[in-house]
Amino acid sequence: MANRTVKDAKNVHGTNPQYLIEKIIRSRIYDSKYWKEQCFALTAELLVDKAMDIRYLGGVFGGNIKPTPFLCLTLKMLQIQPEKDIVVEFIKNEEFKYVRALGAFYLRLTGSSLDCYKYLEPLYNDNRKLRRQNRLGHYELVHMDEFIDELLREERACDIILPRIQKRHVLEENNELEPKVSALDDDLDEEMPSDDENLEEIAEALKAKEKEKKMETIRIRGGGKRDRSESRERQEKVVAVEKTKDVTREHKERGDPERHRDYDRGRERDYERREPPADTRHKDREVREKERDRQRRHERDRMDDRDRDRDRRYGERERERDRDRERERDRDRDRRDRDYERDRDRDYDRDRDYDRRRR
């Protein structure tokens, strides 16, 4: 009785709300100490006090799959099915961040695609830190906007498979949702200079060019002799450089081949030390991202296979228990039949002895 959904609850996504959590995890929650002690006879009003006591997020952890209080309260909300206004107040609560996370997670499980984008996207502006417990029982640091992004983009959050929602661009094309406006647009508009500032910068640049031209003309008129001496010095330097080049060329032609090979090796080594081009770095980054995505998909498939195996083993144990109960009932039935036949034979012998004594 304590684990049943309330009578006036509505189906969510065509099924019982509690069935949104897998059977094996649901049974572990029912057997947990927190569920039996803290979640018994909870109402929507008392649920708020329990939600304010949450200190971390998480799904299940440990080898025997222990549920976190966050997941237990989520199942309790699915069981009592609070009104939408209460869930919206959970999400709008700015004082208790874990109450907001609980409301966002419940709305993602039960709400429509339009409600999910309408109420969860504003939480991208919340950058507060959250503690999350992983499958090994260790705590890790996440932020509220990261958690909301997982709810809207990933297929699984807190070890629960999330219902599918429509893509945002589909709702925008159907005029059901406004185009997304990023909070960074205002900052970019503030940093972009206005047209008046651009005109002022252009005018200052023109004035600086005019000053440079005037200084150049003054330098040409007053320093003709100095220019001729400088040009003569430049010509002498060019001649000296050409002579050194000719000498080095002759030495190279007459030198031994070992020195040429060392020179070539040095050039090849310098070429190898150079930084790879940008397109190569971009390709390497794409390869690393693809490998990371492949490992992520492999890990997700492995977790799904393990959950399916666990559900299958649990079903086999249930069927074995049913067969044992059937055998026990058959034994009890046979035992009652034997007792009945023995009592009937005893009564028959007693009646026959009585008739014999009367005769």
mmCIF file of all heavy atoms in Angstrom, residues 302-338:
data_model
loop_
_atom_site.group_PDB
_atom_site.id
_atom_site.type_symbol
_atom_site.label_atom_id
_atom_site.label_comp_id
_atom_site.label_asym_id
_atom_site.label_seq_id
_atom_site.Cartn_x
_atom_site.Cartn_y
_atom_site.Cartn_z
ATOM 1 N N ARG A 302 27.494 -0.629 -22.618
ATOM 2 C CA ARG A 302 27.866 -1.627 -21.608
ATOM 3 C C ARG A 302 26.978 -1.509 -20.370
ATOM 4 O O ARG A 302 26.550 -2.523 -19.800
ATOM 5 C CB ARG A 302 29.328 -1.425 -21.223
ATOM 6 C CG ARG A 302 29.904 -2.525 -20.341
ATOM 7 C CD ARG A 302 31.399 -2.327 -20.160
ATOM 8 N NE ARG A 302 31.686 -1.100 -19.449
ATOM 9 C CZ ARG A 302 31.629 -0.994 -18.119
ATOM 10 N NH1 ARG A 302 31.308 -2.027 -17.371
ATOM 11 N NH2 ARG A 302 31.919 0.163 -17.543
ATOM 12 N N MET A 303 26.679 -0.273 -19.971
ATOM 13 C CA MET A 303 25.797 -0.079 -18.822
ATOM 14 C C MET A 303 24.385 -0.585 -19.118
ATOM 15 O O MET A 303 23.742 -1.218 -18.265
ATOM 16 C CB MET A 303 25.751 1.409 -18.453
ATOM 17 C CG MET A 303 27.085 1.982 -17.983
ATOM 18 S SD MET A 303 27.590 1.343 -16.391
ATOM 19 C CE MET A 303 26.376 2.131 -15.367
ATOM 20 N N ASP A 304 23.898 -0.324 -20.363
ATOM 21 C CA ASP A 304 22.559 -0.823 -20.715
ATOM 22 C C ASP A 304 22.521 -2.343 -20.717
ATOM 23 O O ASP A 304 21.541 -2.958 -20.247
ATOM 24 C CB ASP A 304 22.149 -0.285 -22.090
ATOM 25 C CG ASP A 304 21.964 1.224 -22.068
ATOM 26 O OD1 ASP A 304 21.770 1.766 -20.957
ATOM 27 O OD2 ASP A 304 22.016 1.848 -23.131
ATOM 28 N N ASP A 305 23.563 -2.977 -21.266
ATOM 29 C CA ASP A 305 23.598 -4.442 -21.259
ATOM 30 C C ASP A 305 23.619 -4.982 -19.834
ATOM 31 O O ASP A 305 22.936 -5.979 -19.527
ATOM 32 C CB ASP A 305 24.839 -4.937 -22.022
ATOM 33 C CG ASP A 305 24.770 -4.600 -23.501
ATOM 34 O OD1 ASP A 305 23.641 -4.378 -23.995
ATOM 35 O OD2 ASP A 305 25.824 -4.570 -24.167
ATOM 36 N N ARG A 306 24.364 -4.340 -18.965
ATOM 37 C CA ARG A 306 24.421 -4.818 -17.585
ATOM 38 C C ARG A 306 23.060 -4.654 -16.900
ATOM 39 O O ARG A 306 22.624 -5.526 -16.147
ATOM 40 C CB ARG A 306 25.487 -4.034 -16.819
ATOM 41 C CG ARG A 306 25.736 -4.577 -15.421
ATOM 42 C CD ARG A 306 26.949 -3.951 -14.798
ATOM 43 N NE ARG A 306 26.771 -2.515 -14.621
ATOM 44 C CZ ARG A 306 27.707 -1.716 -14.126
ATOM 45 N NH1 ARG A 306 28.890 -2.193 -13.794
ATOM 46 N NH2 ARG A 306 27.490 -0.424 -13.991
ATOM 47 N N ASP A 307 22.353 -3.528 -17.196
ATOM 48 C CA ASP A 307 21.020 -3.357 -16.607
ATOM 49 C C ASP A 307 20.057 -4.416 -17.122
ATOM 50 O O ASP A 307 19.231 -4.948 -16.362
ATOM 51 C CB ASP A 307 20.487 -1.962 -16.935
ATOM 52 C CG ASP A 307 21.291 -0.879 -16.237
ATOM 53 O OD1 ASP A 307 21.973 -1.211 -15.249
ATOM 54 O OD2 ASP A 307 21.248 0.274 -16.698
ATOM 55 N N ARG A 308 20.147 -4.713 -18.435
ATOM 56 C CA ARG A 308 19.250 -5.744 -18.976
ATOM 57 C C ARG A 308 19.549 -7.111 -18.358
ATOM 58 O O ARG A 308 18.621 -7.873 -18.036
ATOM 59 C CB ARG A 308 19.403 -5.790 -20.497
ATOM 60 C CG ARG A 308 18.649 -4.685 -21.227
ATOM 61 C CD ARG A 308 18.546 -5.014 -22.700
ATOM 62 N NE ARG A 308 19.843 -4.980 -23.341
ATOM 63 C CZ ARG A 308 20.369 -3.881 -23.880
ATOM 64 N NH1 ARG A 308 19.713 -2.737 -23.838
ATOM 65 N NH2 ARG A 308 21.554 -3.917 -24.470
ATOM 66 N N ASP A 309 20.834 -7.438 -18.204
ATOM 67 C CA ASP A 309 21.173 -8.723 -17.564
ATOM 68 C C ASP A 309 20.674 -8.772 -16.131
ATOM 69 O O ASP A 309 20.165 -9.803 -15.668
ATOM 70 C CB ASP A 309 22.699 -8.914 -17.595
ATOM 71 C CG ASP A 309 23.231 -9.084 -19.013
ATOM 72 O OD1 ASP A 309 22.419 -9.444 -19.885
ATOM 73 O OD2 ASP A 309 24.435 -8.856 -19.234
ATOM 74 N N ARG A 310 20.783 -7.659 -15.427
ATOM 75 C CA ARG A 310 20.324 -7.630 -14.047
ATOM 76 C C ARG A 310 18.807 -7.819 -13.981
ATOM 77 O O ARG A 310 18.288 -8.549 -13.131
ATOM 78 C CB ARG A 310 20.730 -6.306 -13.409
ATOM 79 C CG ARG A 310 20.576 -6.288 -11.889
ATOM 80 C CD ARG A 310 20.950 -4.933 -11.317
ATOM 81 N NE ARG A 310 22.323 -4.578 -11.562
ATOM 82 C CZ ARG A 310 22.716 -3.598 -12.353
ATOM 83 N NH1 ARG A 310 21.826 -2.869 -12.986
ATOM 84 N NH2 ARG A 310 24.001 -3.327 -12.513
ATOM 85 N N ASP A 311 18.069 -7.137 -14.905
ATOM 86 C CA ASP A 311 16.618 -7.324 -14.933
ATOM 87 C C ASP A 311 16.246 -8.766 -15.268
ATOM 88 O O ASP A 311 15.283 -9.319 -14.709
ATOM 89 C CB ASP A 311 15.993 -6.369 -15.964
ATOM 90 C CG ASP A 311 16.156 -4.914 -15.551
ATOM 91 O OD1 ASP A 311 16.369 -4.678 -14.341
ATOM 92 O OD2 ASP A 311 16.079 -4.038 -16.413
ATOM 93 N N ARG A 312 17.002 -9.378 -16.196
ATOM 94 C CA ARG A 312 16.686 -10.766 -16.557
ATOM 95 C C ARG A 312 16.919 -11.700 -15.378
ATOM 96 O O ARG A 312 16.098 -12.584 -15.087
ATOM 97 C CB ARG A 312 17.543 -11.188 -17.750
ATOM 98 C CG ARG A 312 17.151 -12.560 -18.290
ATOM 99 C CD ARG A 312 17.951 -12.954 -19.513
ATOM 100 N NE ARG A 312 19.357 -13.127 -19.211
ATOM 101 C CZ ARG A 312 20.306 -12.265 -19.560
ATOM 102 N NH1 ARG A 312 20.003 -11.164 -20.218
ATOM 103 N NH2 ARG A 312 21.572 -12.487 -19.245
ATOM 104 N N ARG A 313 18.044 -11.493 -14.661
ATOM 105 C CA ARG A 313 18.298 -12.342 -13.491
ATOM 106 C C ARG A 313 17.249 -12.127 -12.409
ATOM 107 O O ARG A 313 16.819 -13.083 -11.755
ATOM 108 C CB ARG A 313 19.696 -12.044 -12.935
ATOM 109 C CG ARG A 313 20.830 -12.520 -13.832
ATOM 110 C CD ARG A 313 22.149 -12.511 -13.055
ATOM 111 N NE ARG A 313 22.521 -11.192 -12.628
ATOM 112 C CZ ARG A 313 23.241 -10.351 -13.348
ATOM 113 N NH1 ARG A 313 23.666 -10.697 -14.555
ATOM 114 N NH2 ARG A 313 23.558 -9.150 -12.873
ATOM 115 N N TYR A 314 16.827 -10.875 -12.244
ATOM 116 C CA TYR A 314 15.795 -10.610 -11.250
ATOM 117 C C TYR A 314 14.486 -11.307 -11.626
ATOM 118 O O TYR A 314 13.802 -11.877 -10.770
ATOM 119 C CB TYR A 314 15.588 -9.100 -11.131
ATOM 120 C CG TYR A 314 14.557 -8.691 -10.119
ATOM 121 C CD1 TYR A 314 14.855 -8.694 -8.762
ATOM 122 C CD2 TYR A 314 13.276 -8.319 -10.522
ATOM 123 C CE1 TYR A 314 13.908 -8.336 -7.825
ATOM 124 C CE2 TYR A 314 12.323 -7.960 -9.587
ATOM 125 C CZ TYR A 314 12.645 -7.966 -8.245
ATOM 126 O OH TYR A 314 11.697 -7.609 -7.331
ATOM 127 N N GLY A 315 14.118 -11.283 -12.942
ATOM 128 C CA GLY A 315 12.910 -11.972 -13.383
ATOM 129 C C GLY A 315 13.000 -13.484 -13.191
ATOM 130 O O GLY A 315 12.018 -14.134 -12.814
ATOM 131 N N GLU A 316 14.177 -14.030 -13.449
ATOM 132 C CA GLU A 316 14.345 -15.466 -13.229
ATOM 133 C C GLU A 316 14.183 -15.830 -11.759
ATOM 134 O O GLU A 316 13.569 -16.852 -11.415
ATOM 135 C CB GLU A 316 15.722 -15.900 -13.741
ATOM 136 C CG GLU A 316 15.860 -15.839 -15.264
ATOM 137 C CD GLU A 316 17.264 -16.163 -15.709
ATOM 138 O OE1 GLU A 316 18.112 -16.372 -14.819
ATOM 139 O OE2 GLU A 316 17.501 -16.215 -16.937
ATOM 140 N N ARG A 317 14.711 -14.990 -10.879
ATOM 141 C CA ARG A 317 14.546 -15.266 -9.446
ATOM 142 C C ARG A 317 13.084 -15.182 -9.045
ATOM 143 O O ARG A 317 12.602 -15.983 -8.228
ATOM 144 C CB ARG A 317 15.385 -14.274 -8.631
ATOM 145 C CG ARG A 317 16.882 -14.550 -8.668
ATOM 146 C CD ARG A 317 17.599 -13.817 -7.542
ATOM 147 N NE ARG A 317 17.494 -12.379 -7.680
ATOM 148 C CZ ARG A 317 18.346 -11.625 -8.347
ATOM 149 N NH1 ARG A 317 19.378 -12.175 -8.954
ATOM 150 N NH2 ARG A 317 18.181 -10.312 -8.405
ATOM 151 N N GLU A 318 12.356 -14.211 -9.613
ATOM 152 C CA GLU A 318 10.932 -14.103 -9.307
ATOM 153 C C GLU A 318 10.176 -15.342 -9.775
ATOM 154 O O GLU A 318 9.308 -15.862 -9.066
ATOM 155 C CB GLU A 318 10.355 -12.841 -9.969
ATOM 156 C CG GLU A 318 10.807 -11.537 -9.326
ATOM 157 C CD GLU A 318 10.205 -11.367 -7.949
ATOM 158 O OE1 GLU A 318 9.106 -11.907 -7.719
ATOM 159 O OE2 GLU A 318 10.849 -10.729 -7.103
ATOM 160 N N ARG A 319 10.483 -15.814 -10.984
ATOM 161 C CA ARG A 319 9.799 -17.019 -11.484
ATOM 162 C C ARG A 319 10.142 -18.234 -10.627
ATOM 163 O O ARG A 319 9.285 -19.095 -10.368
ATOM 164 C CB ARG A 319 10.195 -17.252 -12.943
ATOM 165 C CG ARG A 319 9.579 -16.261 -13.916
ATOM 166 C CD ARG A 319 9.753 -16.727 -15.353
ATOM 167 N NE ARG A 319 11.147 -16.686 -15.762
ATOM 168 C CZ ARG A 319 11.730 -15.607 -16.255
ATOM 169 N NH1 ARG A 319 11.044 -14.482 -16.403
ATOM 170 N NH2 ARG A 319 12.996 -15.618 -16.616
ATOM 171 N N GLU A 320 11.386 -18.342 -10.175
ATOM 172 C CA GLU A 320 11.769 -19.459 -9.314
ATOM 173 C C GLU A 320 11.018 -19.409 -7.980
ATOM 174 O O GLU A 320 10.572 -20.448 -7.459
ATOM 175 C CB GLU A 320 13.285 -19.410 -9.063
ATOM 176 C CG GLU A 320 13.832 -20.616 -8.315
ATOM 177 C CD GLU A 320 13.689 -21.894 -9.117
ATOM 178 O OE1 GLU A 320 13.683 -21.817 -10.356
ATOM 179 O OE2 GLU A 320 13.571 -22.957 -8.481
ATOM 180 N N ARG A 321 10.837 -18.194 -7.439
ATOM 181 C CA ARG A 321 10.063 -18.078 -6.198
ATOM 182 C C ARG A 321 8.608 -18.489 -6.418
ATOM 183 O O ARG A 321 7.995 -19.145 -5.558
ATOM 184 C CB ARG A 321 10.115 -16.636 -5.696
ATOM 185 C CG ARG A 321 11.467 -16.206 -5.155
ATOM 186 C CD ARG A 321 11.338 -14.942 -4.335
ATOM 187 N NE ARG A 321 12.637 -14.288 -4.162
ATOM 188 C CZ ARG A 321 13.072 -13.273 -4.884
ATOM 189 N NH1 ARG A 321 12.319 -12.793 -5.842
ATOM 190 N NH2 ARG A 321 14.261 -12.743 -4.646
ATOM 191 N N ASP A 322 8.038 -18.096 -7.567
ATOM 192 C CA ASP A 322 6.653 -18.507 -7.857
ATOM 193 C C ASP A 322 6.539 -20.027 -7.957
ATOM 194 O O ASP A 322 5.567 -20.625 -7.452
ATOM 195 C CB ASP A 322 6.190 -17.851 -9.162
ATOM 196 C CG ASP A 322 6.102 -16.339 -9.036
ATOM 197 O OD1 ASP A 322 5.997 -15.860 -7.886
ATOM 198 O OD2 ASP A 322 6.141 -15.644 -10.071
ATOM 199 N N ARG A 323 7.522 -20.670 -8.593
ATOM 200 C CA ARG A 323 7.466 -22.131 -8.692
ATOM 201 C C ARG A 323 7.580 -22.772 -7.305
ATOM 202 O O ARG A 323 6.889 -23.763 -7.004
ATOM 203 C CB ARG A 323 8.589 -22.609 -9.608
ATOM 204 C CG ARG A 323 8.324 -22.373 -11.090
ATOM 205 C CD ARG A 323 9.266 -23.181 -11.960
ATOM 206 N NE ARG A 323 10.622 -22.707 -11.876
ATOM 207 C CZ ARG A 323 11.140 -21.768 -12.676
ATOM 208 N NH1 ARG A 323 10.386 -21.214 -13.602
ATOM 209 N NH2 ARG A 323 12.389 -21.386 -12.556
ATOM 210 N N ASP A 324 8.433 -22.214 -6.452
ATOM 211 C CA ASP A 324 8.545 -22.757 -5.094
ATOM 212 C C ASP A 324 7.238 -22.605 -4.330
ATOM 213 O O ASP A 324 6.823 -23.521 -3.580
ATOM 214 C CB ASP A 324 9.670 -22.040 -4.347
ATOM 215 C CG ASP A 324 11.042 -22.353 -4.931
ATOM 216 O OD1 ASP A 324 11.147 -23.398 -5.623
ATOM 217 O OD2 ASP A 324 11.984 -21.577 -4.708
ATOM 218 N N ARG A 325 6.586 -21.453 -4.503
ATOM 219 C CA ARG A 325 5.300 -21.277 -3.830
ATOM 220 C C ARG A 325 4.265 -22.275 -4.334
ATOM 221 O O ARG A 325 3.462 -22.803 -3.545
ATOM 222 C CB ARG A 325 4.791 -19.858 -4.049
ATOM 223 C CG ARG A 325 5.659 -18.769 -3.405
ATOM 224 C CD ARG A 325 4.947 -17.442 -3.415
ATOM 225 N NE ARG A 325 5.872 -16.346 -3.131
ATOM 226 C CZ ARG A 325 6.417 -15.570 -4.042
ATOM 227 N NH1 ARG A 325 6.137 -15.785 -5.318
ATOM 228 N NH2 ARG A 325 7.238 -14.598 -3.706
ATOM 229 N N GLU A 326 4.246 -22.544 -5.657
ATOM 230 C CA GLU A 326 3.313 -23.534 -6.210
ATOM 231 C C GLU A 326 3.580 -24.922 -5.633
ATOM 232 O O GLU A 326 2.650 -25.661 -5.261
ATOM 233 C CB GLU A 326 3.437 -23.555 -7.744
ATOM 234 C CG GLU A 326 2.813 -22.366 -8.448
ATOM 235 C CD GLU A 326 1.297 -22.407 -8.360
ATOM 236 O OE1 GLU A 326 0.735 -23.507 -8.196
ATOM 237 O OE2 GLU A 326 0.697 -21.321 -8.430
ATOM 238 N N ARG A 327 4.859 -25.289 -5.551
ATOM 239 C CA ARG A 327 5.179 -26.606 -4.980
ATOM 240 C C ARG A 327 4.739 -26.684 -3.519
ATOM 241 O O ARG A 327 4.204 -27.722 -3.078
ATOM 242 C CB ARG A 327 6.691 -26.844 -5.081
ATOM 243 C CG ARG A 327 7.224 -26.956 -6.499
ATOM 244 C CD ARG A 327 8.634 -27.516 -6.491
ATOM 245 N NE ARG A 327 9.298 -27.286 -7.756
ATOM 246 C CZ ARG A 327 10.142 -26.291 -7.999
ATOM 247 N NH1 ARG A 327 10.425 -25.432 -7.028
ATOM 248 N NH2 ARG A 327 10.713 -26.139 -9.192
ATOM 249 N N GLU A 328 4.957 -25.630 -2.762
ATOM 250 C CA GLU A 328 4.550 -25.642 -1.356
ATOM 251 C C GLU A 328 3.040 -25.767 -1.215
ATOM 252 O O GLU A 328 2.527 -26.490 -0.345
ATOM 253 C CB GLU A 328 5.048 -24.358 -0.682
ATOM 254 C CG GLU A 328 4.906 -24.344 0.836
ATOM 255 C CD GLU A 328 5.780 -25.397 1.484
ATOM 256 O OE1 GLU A 328 6.841 -25.742 0.914
ATOM 257 O OE2 GLU A 328 5.386 -25.888 2.557
ATOM 258 N N ARG A 329 2.275 -25.046 -2.096
ATOM 259 C CA ARG A 329 0.818 -25.172 -2.048
ATOM 260 C C ARG A 329 0.373 -26.586 -2.399
ATOM 261 O O ARG A 329 -0.567 -27.134 -1.787
ATOM 262 C CB ARG A 329 0.194 -24.150 -3.015
ATOM 263 C CG ARG A 329 0.175 -22.729 -2.464
ATOM 264 C CD ARG A 329 -0.779 -21.865 -3.243
ATOM 265 N NE ARG A 329 -0.301 -21.636 -4.609
ATOM 266 C CZ ARG A 329 0.463 -20.617 -4.957
ATOM 267 N NH1 ARG A 329 0.836 -19.731 -4.045
ATOM 268 N NH2 ARG A 329 0.866 -20.477 -6.200
ATOM 269 N N ASP A 330 1.038 -27.211 -3.395
ATOM 270 C CA ASP A 330 0.680 -28.592 -3.743
ATOM 271 C C ASP A 330 0.957 -29.538 -2.578
ATOM 272 O O ASP A 330 0.139 -30.447 -2.279
ATOM 273 C CB ASP A 330 1.473 -29.026 -4.985
ATOM 274 C CG ASP A 330 1.058 -28.246 -6.224
ATOM 275 O OD1 ASP A 330 -0.065 -27.690 -6.215
ATOM 276 O OD2 ASP A 330 1.847 -28.182 -7.195
ATOM 277 N N ARG A 331 2.077 -29.339 -1.896
ATOM 278 C CA ARG A 331 2.367 -30.205 -0.745
ATOM 279 C C ARG A 331 1.327 -30.020 0.361
ATOM 280 O O ARG A 331 0.879 -31.008 0.978
ATOM 281 C CB ARG A 331 3.763 -29.879 -0.208
ATOM 282 C CG ARG A 331 4.906 -30.238 -1.129
ATOM 283 C CD ARG A 331 6.227 -30.219 -0.384
ATOM 284 N NE ARG A 331 7.351 -30.124 -1.313
ATOM 285 C CZ ARG A 331 7.966 -29.000 -1.640
ATOM 286 N NH1 ARG A 331 7.564 -27.859 -1.107
ATOM 287 N NH2 ARG A 331 8.976 -29.007 -2.506
ATOM 288 N N ASP A 332 0.945 -28.779 0.622
ATOM 289 C CA ASP A 332 -0.075 -28.543 1.651
ATOM 290 C C ASP A 332 -1.406 -29.187 1.262
ATOM 291 O O ASP A 332 -2.111 -29.761 2.114
ATOM 292 C CB ASP A 332 -0.264 -27.039 1.849
ATOM 293 C CG ASP A 332 0.966 -26.379 2.452
ATOM 294 O OD1 ASP A 332 1.767 -27.108 3.054
ATOM 295 O OD2 ASP A 332 1.113 -25.148 2.308
ATOM 296 N N ARG A 333 -1.759 -29.114 -0.027
ATOM 297 C CA ARG A 333 -3.003 -29.708 -0.472
ATOM 298 C C ARG A 333 -2.971 -31.227 -0.306
ATOM 299 O O ARG A 333 -3.937 -31.853 0.171
ATOM 300 C CB ARG A 333 -3.259 -29.334 -1.938
ATOM 301 C CG ARG A 333 -4.668 -29.644 -2.399
ATOM 302 C CD ARG A 333 -4.870 -29.314 -3.867
ATOM 303 N NE ARG A 333 -4.571 -27.918 -4.145
ATOM 304 C CZ ARG A 333 -3.534 -27.500 -4.844
ATOM 305 N NH1 ARG A 333 -2.676 -28.386 -5.334
ATOM 306 N NH2 ARG A 333 -3.339 -26.224 -5.057
ATOM 307 N N ASP A 334 -1.843 -31.848 -0.692
ATOM 308 C CA ASP A 334 -1.725 -33.307 -0.522
ATOM 309 C C ASP A 334 -1.763 -33.690 0.948
ATOM 310 O O ASP A 334 -2.384 -34.701 1.335
ATOM 311 C CB ASP A 334 -0.406 -33.787 -1.154
ATOM 312 C CG ASP A 334 -0.395 -33.588 -2.655
ATOM 313 O OD1 ASP A 334 -1.495 -33.457 -3.232
ATOM 314 O OD2 ASP A 334 0.708 -33.531 -3.251
ATOM 315 N N ARG A 335 -1.130 -32.890 1.797
ATOM 316 C CA ARG A 335 -1.130 -33.191 3.224
ATOM 317 C C ARG A 335 -2.539 -33.105 3.799
ATOM 318 O O ARG A 335 -2.977 -33.970 4.596
ATOM 319 C CB ARG A 335 -0.202 -32.229 3.945
ATOM 320 C CG ARG A 335 0.133 -32.654 5.369
ATOM 321 C CD ARG A 335 1.048 -31.635 6.060
ATOM 322 N NE ARG A 335 2.314 -31.489 5.318
ATOM 323 C CZ ARG A 335 2.661 -30.422 4.650
ATOM 324 N NH1 ARG A 335 1.845 -29.383 4.596
ATOM 325 N NH2 ARG A 335 3.828 -30.367 4.023
ATOM 326 N N ARG A 336 -3.325 -32.087 3.379
ATOM 327 C CA ARG A 336 -4.705 -31.971 3.865
ATOM 328 C C ARG A 336 -5.565 -33.135 3.382
ATOM 329 O O ARG A 336 -6.415 -33.648 4.122
ATOM 330 C CB ARG A 336 -5.292 -30.636 3.396
ATOM 331 C CG ARG A 336 -4.737 -29.424 4.137
ATOM 332 C CD ARG A 336 -5.607 -28.207 3.898
ATOM 333 N NE ARG A 336 -5.703 -27.882 2.467
ATOM 334 C CZ ARG A 336 -4.858 -27.059 1.854
ATOM 335 N NH1 ARG A 336 -3.863 -26.499 2.532
ATOM 336 N NH2 ARG A 336 -5.002 -26.807 0.572
ATOM 337 N N ASP A 337 -5.333 -33.559 2.113
ATOM 338 C CA ASP A 337 -6.119 -34.690 1.597
ATOM 339 C C ASP A 337 -5.807 -35.968 2.375
ATOM 340 O O ASP A 337 -6.728 -36.751 2.713
ATOM 341 C CB ASP A 337 -5.799 -34.882 0.104
ATOM 342 C CG ASP A 337 -6.323 -33.719 -0.738
ATOM 343 O OD1 ASP A 337 -7.194 -32.975 -0.232
ATOM 344 O OD2 ASP A 337 -5.832 -33.537 -1.877
ATOM 345 N N ARG A 338 -4.540 -36.200 2.668
ATOM 346 C CA ARG A 338 -4.186 -37.399 3.434
ATOM 347 C C ARG A 338 -4.767 -37.357 4.839
ATOM 348 O O ARG A 338 -5.287 -38.368 5.345
ATOM 349 C CB ARG A 338 -2.661 -37.532 3.505
ATOM 350 C CG ARG A 338 -2.018 -37.981 2.206
ATOM 351 C CD ARG A 338 -0.588 -38.456 2.439
ATOM 352 N NE ARG A 338 0.248 -37.397 2.985
ATOM 353 C CZ ARG A 338 0.921 -36.511 2.257
ATOM 354 N NH1 ARG A 338 0.847 -36.570 0.930
ATOM 355 N NH2 ARG A 338 1.666 -35.591 2.840
#
